[in-house]
Amino acid sequence: MNILVTGAKGMVGTALVNHLKNIRDNKNRTRPNIKVDEIYEYDLGSTAQDLELYCQRADFVFNLAGVNRPENPEDFMKGNFGFASELLETLKKHGSKAPIMLSSSIQATLAGRFGNSEYGRSKQAGEELFFAYAKQTGTKVAVYRFPNLMGHSRPKYNSAVSTFCWAVANDEEFTVTDRSIELELLYIDDLVEGMFDLLEGKERHCEFDGVVTVEQENGRYCYVPGAHRVTLGEIVDLLMIFKEQPTTLMMPKIPEGSFAKKLYSLYLSYLPTDKFKYALKMSCDDRGSFTELLHTEDCGQVSINISRPGITKGQHWHSSKWELFIVVAGKGLIQERNINTGETVEFYVSGDKIEAIHMIPGWTHNIINLSETENLVTVMTCNEIFNPDRPDTFFEVV
């Protein structure tokens, strides 16, 4: 399949092309029903000859080209309607029956109803042009009215989320005029998956009743599921938590499919390179070091322990706290003893065979570096963040 992507250098176009290349090059194997041969990228730097060639050869067209922040309002119609006309006429000229997708906007829903948006009117005009093309040629047309899109794009342009992410990541000032303003946001990766559904003939349809989307089997429009409704205040609050993570070590809750998970990934993409790395506090003494790596709200903490040759660490027990010791380098011995029954167990551990060993509540335990020359490196997880006021840690030699 040869695929033409117009607006290929925009936020959506860039993401879509990158993912199409992954399928073409067999790096993404999650869509075995999609076969990509050639990807034609059309954008502002392309020529009329390029468009002619691409329209002649394309088996599927994603029309993402358009303008949303022109210098003159009348350029909305020229960019969003004018190019659509040129594209469709070129396809007809070559007798193309390639299915075509149009990227429209929910702003088209508002055109003529709740305002005089030149952008919305241009999008609505483009929609009608595509519907007429489908009726005239019998070609499959899929028109998507997208909500606000959330992906890596130029800050201070047309995405408040991108601007906030950039500002927080780069310690720049920003203003939120009304924290209660709610946005409907669709994440770029969800949009791309929706485009893959379209390529597989699994697109979802809907109708627009006023400004309300009504899902139905054979609606006039298409949509991508997974949009999130969040307020500006919620977005900024999450971003400030993300910003403090290197200091607090607290990993925010980012459940699968959540807005927070998607926003965190987007926020990280705006970090300047000098923030890719951050220091951790190492507690060092003549025995080695202990460093907390991260904290979580509901699963405790993860740390790294380094024991010098011949050193024994631990020699304590916990009442409720439990730990996992995972030796990743060196050779050692872990000993545990039940403080009530006296039962003992021993585990020889090595970075050559990585295993996880439970430190059980009520069992005093230690870890001994058996090497005379090499450090013993142990990843330690614990079900709670260490609280010096309630350490639940009691000295007792194994």
Side-chain angles (χ1 to χ4, degrees):
M1 180 188 297
N2 297 330
I3 297 176
L4 167 58
V5 180
T6 72
K9 302 302 181 185
M11 180 188 77
V12 178
T14 298
L16 179 59
V17 167
N18 286 340
H19 285 281
L20 286 171
K21 288 179 179 177
N22 284 338
I23 290 182
R24 180 197 64 190
D25 300 338
N26 205 32
K27 297 175 182 177
N28 179 353
R29 302 178 184 178
T30 64
R31 298 281 184 159
N33 295 327
I34 301 176
K35 185 178 185 303
V36 178
D37 297 308
E38 297 289 340
I39 303 168
Y40 304 129
E41 301 178 46
Y42 182 89
D43 209 272
L44 293 176
S46 303
T47 66
Q49 290 74 23
D50 291 331
L51 187 62
E52 289 280 350
L53 179 64
Y54 299 161
C55 286
Q56 184 178 4
R57 295 182 177 179
D59 300 306
F60 198 102
V61 180
F62 289 101
N63 183 35
L64 309 176
V67 294
N68 48 32
R69 290 287 293 271
E71 293 184 3
N72 300 309
E74 57 268 23
D75 288 338
F76 277 124
M77 194 64 70
K78 179 180 179 181
N80 293 328
F81 178 81
F83 175 74
S85 301
E86 181 183 1
L87 173 64
L88 296 181
E89 286 301 320
T90 307
L91 289 168
K92 282 195 289 186
K93 174 182 174 181
H94 293 286
S96 174
K97 293 298 181 181
I100 183 167
M101 170 268 180
L102 171 64
S103 173
S104 188
S105 167
I106 56 172
Q107 293 297 319
T109 314
L110 306 179
R113 291 192 180 97
F114 300 95
N116 294 311
S117 165
E118 293 289 345
Y119 176 70
R121 280 202 292 271
S122 69
K123 284 295 188 181
Q124 188 180 60
E127 292 177 359
E128 295 304 324
L129 193 66
F130 274 77
F131 287 131
Y133 174 80
K135 186 176 181 180
Q136 179 185 3
T137 64
T139 302
K140 178 179 177 179
V141 168
V143 176
Y144 286 78
R145 282 182 169 177
F146 289 127
N148 296 290
L149 300 181
M150 173 182 153
H152 191 94
S153 61
R154 183 178 7 149
K156 297 184 178 181
Y157 185 57
N158 65 340
S159 169
V161 178
S162 291
T163 300
F164 292 153
C165 286
W166 168 81
V168 173
N170 291 274
D171 303 314
E172 297 285 347
E173 293 185 0
F174 64 95
T175 302
V176 180
T177 56
D178 186 348
R179 287 175 52 89
S180 68
I181 292 176
E182 186 179 69
L183 300 178
E184 182 180 8
L185 293 163
L186 179 65
Y187 185 52
I188 188 65
D189 282 6
D190 293 330
L191 188 156
V192 169
E193 289 301 317
M195 297 304 95
F196 287 169
D197 286 342
L198 174 61
L199 286 174
E200 292 184 332
K202 300 176 182 177
E203 69 275 11
R204 302 193 185 194
H205 292 267
C206 65
E207 281 291 351
F208 282 86
D209 179 13
V211 294
V212 180
T213 304
V214 182
E215 298 176 18
Q216 58 185 59
E217 189 68 25
N218 296 307
R220 192 183 195 203
Y221 298 90
C222 297
Y223 75 101
V224 175
H228 301 268
R229 290 188 177 274
V230 290
T231 65
L232 295 182
E234 290 169 335
I235 294 170
V236 171
D237 290 346
L238 279 171
L239 290 175
M240 297 311 297
I241 292 173
F242 301 160
K243 181 183 178 69
E244 295 301 319
Q245 192 278 328
T247 301
T248 65
L249 301 184
M250 182 63 69
M251 185 59 62
K253 287 186 177 181
I254 47 175
E256 183 63 30
S258 68
F259 174 76
K261 181 178 181 179
K262 299 167 187 177
L263 183 65
Y264 196 22
S265 295
L266 182 60
Y267 164 77
L268 290 176
S269 74
Y270 285 94
L271 283 180
T273 55
D274 61 356
K275 287 189 178 182
F276 284 12
K277 178 180 71 173
Y278 59 91
L280 296 169
K281 181 182 178 182
M282 298 178 66
S283 299
C284 302
D285 57 27
D286 56 2
R287 302 175 304 154
S289 66
F290 181 81
T291 306
E292 295 182 7
L293 302 182
L294 62 87
H295 296 168
T296 69
E297 293 183 12
D298 51 2
C299 295
Q301 68 181 41
V302 179
S303 308
I304 192 90
N305 182 76
I306 299 177
S307 301
R308 291 181 176 173
I311 291 296
T312 297
K313 286 190 175 183
Q315 306 287 40
H316 58 239
W317 63 278
H318 314 293
S319 180
S320 294
K321 183 187 300 184
W322 56 261
E323 299 167 300
L324 279 176
F325 287 4
I326 306 167
V327 169
V328 296
K331 299 182 186 299
L333 174 66
I334 293 174
Q335 299 175 316
E336 298 186 61
R337 175 174 60 82
N338 188 307
I339 63 169
N340 295 313
T341 67
E343 181 182 359
T344 61
V345 291
E346 291 186 340
F347 304 96
Y348 286 93
V349 288
S350 169
D352 296 332
K353 183 183 179 182
I354 297 178
E355 300 173 303
I357 313 297
H358 280 291
M359 302 300 111
I360 308 297
W363 290 65
T364 188
H365 51 269
N366 63 27
I367 183 167
I368 305 168
N369 186 348
L370 298 178
S371 173
E372 296 180 357
T373 58
E374 297 180 353
N375 286 338
L376 182 68
V377 182
T378 308
V379 176
M380 298 180 173
T381 68
C382 180
N383 67 320
E384 60 186 48
I385 298 171
F386 180 73
N387 181 354
D389 296 328
R390 296 181 62 85
D392 188 12
T393 301
F394 311 100
F395 175 78
E396 186 164 338
V397 174
V398 175

